[in-house]
Amino acid sequence: MSRVPDYDAVVIGAGFAGLYAVQKLTSLGFHVAGFERGEDVGGVWYWNRYPGARCDCESYYYSYGFSQDLQQDWTWSRRYAEQPEILNYLGHVADRFDLRRHFRFGAAVETLVFDEADEIWRVRAQGGPTVTARFVISAMGCLSAVNWPDIPGIRSFQGRLLHTADWPHDRVNFSGRRVGVIGTGASAVQAIPHIAREAAHLKVFQRTANWVLPAWNRASDPDFDAWVKAHYSEIRERCATSPGAVPFDAPTQSALETPEVDRQAIYQKYWDLGGMRFFTAFTDMFSNLEANATAQAFVRQQILKIVNDPETARALIPTTHPIGVKRPPLDDDYYETFNRPNVNLVDIRNAPIIEVVGQTVRTADADYEFDDLVVATGFDAITGALLALDVRGRGGVTLQSRWREGPSTYLGLGVAGFPNLFTITGPLSPAVLANMPTAVEQHVDWIADCLDHMRREGIGVIETTEAAEADWVSHANEIVGQTLYPHAESWYFGTNIPGKPRRFGVYLGGFGAYSDRCDGIAQAGYEGFRFTSAPN
Ligand code: FAD
Ligand code: NAP
């Protein structure tokens, strides 16, 4: 027999996903409690305050589309807004829709236990009382569990120790300092040029060279902004239906079938446009090694043109993976930074960092002393935040044991054996390979429709079936196998975390097609889900 819970739903996280989930559910009359471990809203944009932090999707579509008034009223100052502006935007959203009052801040959820007798979730945050809810909605983020590398002694570094994903709120001044940066992923690539401009000396420890593309960030153009505002409905619709949740045309021509001279011109055109649009040049960039090699050759030439020292240029050219299949960072003078006299690249591929002692980073062949050490080693992505909790479903089974071989979900939304638990942008959804605000809105809308449907029908429990989950996992894996993604070790596979099972965590079937499929499933009476029980 069900018991009346404290809340209809608990939402965990106050980033793009949690804020919209709370807005949407409360607007439908659900009684909702939000929990956020940070002291305020913002998610990624609350934590990642390193210099140079900004979005890599252009702001006019890396933003909410759910409110016509909001998108008409808000004006972005840059093509890709910087972290303070995005944080300000999310704060504005929280104020505008009066969302903060639903949240407890500084409240890290530690346990989620499904009570089978009462058909409710028992939720406990650090130091807080247990609350009960019919539904739990995870909005804990794909890139929110900080990854500290397992380098002995690193946490005891005797200078100033900083992690890009947990950056101090006060400005960090690097003037006159000897700085080391570990990592060359998207966070490091954004931070390095800014640190280099201030520091006395900067050394960048690179384990794997990355393909870096130009962002060409710039101040917003008022004419373009006016055009966007006049066309927002079409822009959002294009995002909703495109493979990457972006308002751009998908490619139509094959790189291999395009003559070399035209191919170069097309790559140049997309290089000059900037950003991830480079990957909309040709249809076969992600499926054919030979086609991908033509893109690599183009970018290799750009690196050689920009970087003055031939040895540094050679070290910066990736050799380990095709372009695009390990998240390519977007730069703001990244390659140019290595022409500065105060910057050195330390290639640690063959001489890894062995330990940190006092203020010294020790590699297999040298010691380097620093005042500041910036750790830009990313996240335990996609599953990290969820698996940090003690989550128990039916029969007391833990999520950790269910996902021992890697994450397994239906649509990235639900897990068999964990009733009434929804995961926004969860594992095996398009999530991090789509423009995320669009992906978030699609999931929240789908979940809200489902809860509304259950309320109208007097249904208390929804649960994905094991068969639907197994089919989804094998469908998602099959698509990965048709792409070049398995040619790179990456956080998409979880291989950045020692001991984590190697399973691709993202659905590659395209956002638009995925979204249609979710709608079709709902229209077919939530195919693949099982409904049981009626609440009091
Ligand atoms: P988050 O913003 O990560 O929010 C999750 C929240 O959950 C966090 O505030 C966290 O503190 C909270 N939380 C986690 N665990 C708990 C717990 N146990 N208890 C309570 N609270 C908890 N995506 C794009 O599409 N385009 C971009 O340009 C882009 N830029 C990015 C830049 C950076 C620096 C990073 C790190 C990521 C970027 N992303 C980008 C991906 C980013 O994850 C999404 O764009 C978006 O911010 C996700 O929002 P979210 O609400 O799902 O998750
Ligand atoms: P990341 O891409 O995982 O990069 C981590 C870096 O640290 C890699 O260069 C990695 O090397 C290195 N590293 C990890 N452990 C190491 C060790 N023990 N010794 C030496 N080097 C080590 O992390 P991130 O840069 O924070 O980015 C994560 C994701 O967040 C991005 O891919 C992106 O999706 C998102 N992000 C987005 C933006 C944006 O859109 N504006 C900005 C920042 C981040 P290896 O490659 O060899 O593992």
Side-chain angles (χ1 to χ4, degrees):
M1 173 54 106
S2 321
R3 208 191 76 151
V4 178
D6 300 331
Y7 298 96
D8 295 318
V10 156
V11 172
I12 314 174
F16 266 98
L19 286 176
Y20 181 46
V22 168
Q23 191 280 335
K24 178 87 186 191
L25 291 175
T26 54
S27 75
L28 291 172
F30 289 105
H31 186 37
V32 180
F35 289 83
E36 166 55 58
R37 73 180 157 86
E39 294 299 335
D40 199 359
V41 302
V44 152
W45 305 104
Y46 173 88
W47 298 105
N48 294 258
R49 299 176 189 232
Y50 58 84
R54 55 153 174 73
C55 52
D56 275 355
C57 292
E58 290 161 84
S59 293
Y60 74 92
Y61 61 90
Y62 184 74
S63 51
Y64 288 120
F66 72 85
S67 162
Q68 176 66 7
D69 288 347
L70 170 66
Q71 66 187 10
Q72 289 301 325
D73 291 350
W74 189 267
T75 301
W76 296 101
S77 70
R78 316 249 326 140
R79 181 182 185 192
Y80 307 90
E82 285 155 16
Q83 174 271 331
E85 190 171 7
I86 308 176
L87 184 60
N88 200 17
Y89 169 76
L90 291 168
H92 168 79
V93 170
D95 290 341
R96 187 174 185 128
F97 298 98
D98 196 13
L99 302 177
R100 280 193 181 86
R101 70 191 166 95
H102 300 289
F103 278 96
R104 295 166 205 196
F105 294 102
V109 173
E110 289 182 333
T111 59
L112 292 177
V113 177
F114 186 68
D115 180 326
E116 286 191 79
D118 287 336
E119 295 178 325
I120 52 174
W121 281 97
R122 298 185 183 281
V123 180
R124 203 179 50 75
Q126 194 179 23
T130 298
V131 304
T132 58
R134 172 96 29 227
F135 300 97
V136 168
I137 299 172
S138 164
M140 287 188 274
C142 297
L143 296 161
S144 59
V146 178
N147 173 38
W148 281 94
D150 59 352
I151 298 169
I154 193 160
R155 301 299 286 268
S156 312
F157 174 68
Q158 293 298 299
R160 192 166 51 175
L161 182 64
L162 301 148
H163 196 298
T164 46
D166 190 6
W167 199 262
H169 290 201
D170 294 332
R171 187 181 180 283
V172 177
N173 188 346
F174 291 105
S175 307
R177 318 265 302 177
R178 297 164 303 165
V179 184
V181 173
I182 301 178
T184 50
S187 301
V189 164
Q190 289 187 337
I192 283 165
H194 290 262
I195 298 172
R197 280 179 215 127
E198 235 178 68
H201 202 94
L202 170 65
K203 284 197 173 11
V204 176
F205 292 93
Q206 173 188 275
R207 188 167 67 178
T208 310
N210 252 335
W211 296 105
V212 179
L213 298 171
W216 307 127
N217 204 6
R218 55 178 176 254
S220 298
D221 168 3
D223 291 339
F224 180 69
D225 284 351
W227 179 87
V228 164
K229 289 190 180 184
H231 293 83
Y232 245 138
S233 308
E234 293 150 55
I235 291 165
R236 300 294 185 193
E237 180 57 22
R238 292 189 75 186
C239 289
T241 53
S242 80
V246 290
F248 308 122
D249 292 331
T252 52
Q253 55 196 329
S254 141
L256 292 183
E257 288 165 13
T258 304
E260 170 65 7
V261 102
D262 299 345
R263 197 163 55 205
Q264 288 301 312
I266 290 167
Y267 281 137
Q268 188 66 53
K269 177 182 114 181
Y270 283 103
W271 180 269
D272 293 343
L273 277 172
M276 299 298 178
R277 291 188 71 176
F278 188 76
F279 296 107
T280 60
F282 296 109
T283 50
D284 39 5
M285 293 168 86
F286 286 93
S287 57
N288 182 303
L289 274 175
E290 213 186 319
N292 189 285
T294 66
Q296 294 177 44
F298 177 85
V299 177
R300 193 178 301 123
Q301 285 314 311
Q302 309 307 313
I303 300 171
L304 289 168
K305 264 190 245 167
I306 300 169
V307 180
N308 296 336
D309 174 48
E311 201 185 321
T312 306
R314 257 195 311 281
L316 285 166
I317 293 172
T319 52
T320 54
H321 58 280
I323 187 166
V325 295
K326 178 167 178 157
R327 164 66 154 78
L330 297 193
D331 88 323
D332 239 335
D333 290 343
Y334 177 68
Y335 289 125
E336 287 82 352
T337 297
F338 292 95
N339 295 334
R340 296 179 67 101
N342 66 332
V343 177
N344 295 116
L345 186 70
V346 185
D347 189 344
I348 54 168
R349 184 136 205 97
N350 299 316
I353 299 173
I354 294 166
E355 60 178 346
V356 174
V357 183
Q359 287 186 235
T360 301
V361 173
R362 178 164 296 153
T363 69
D365 59 12
D367 281 1
Y368 303 90
E369 199 173 292
F370 298 111
D371 302 309
D372 300 326
L373 186 58
V374 175
V375 181
T377 50
F379 304 88
D380 181 354
I382 304 174
T383 55
L386 256 170
L387 290 180
L389 272 59
D390 183 7
V391 188
R392 290 167 193 268
R394 285 200 191 283
V397 171
T398 63
L399 195 59
Q400 282 80 0
S401 64
R402 277 287 275 107
W403 286 1
R404 191 162 288 131
E405 308 296 320
S408 164
T409 71
Y410 179 40
L411 301 170
L413 277 165
V415 184
F418 293 80
N420 288 358
L421 172 69
F422 292 102
T423 49
I424 302 175
T425 64
L428 306 182
S429 75
V432 287
L433 284 166
N435 168 49
M436 288 204 70
T438 307
V440 156
E441 287 188 325
Q442 184 259 339
H443 264 186
V444 170
D445 289 344
W446 193 94
I447 293 165
D449 285 349
C450 177
L451 264 56
D452 196 36
H453 167 81
M454 290 174 68
R455 181 171 59 182
R456 276 186 279 109
E457 299 294 322
I459 300 166
V461 178
I462 183 171
E463 185 174 355
T464 182
T465 65
E466 287 186 359
E469 184 178 299
D471 284 352
W472 185 253
V473 173
S474 78
H475 167 60
N477 285 338
E478 195 183 318
I479 301 177
V480 178
Q482 294 159 6
T483 71
L484 301 180
Y485 282 92
H487 289 261
E489 297 307 328
S490 67
W491 58 259
Y492 298 143
F493 272 107
T495 50
N496 63 324
I497 304 296
K500 195 169 170 174
R502 189 178 194 273
R503 181 177 286 182
F504 202 77
V506 193
Y507 178 65
L508 287 177
F511 177 76
Y514 166 85
S515 177
D516 286 346
R517 191 163 179 152
C518 291
D519 290 347
I521 283 166
Q523 277 153 20
Y526 294 90
E527 221 168 34
F529 291 94
R530 187 186 302 126
F531 287 127
T532 50
S533 163
N536 288 340

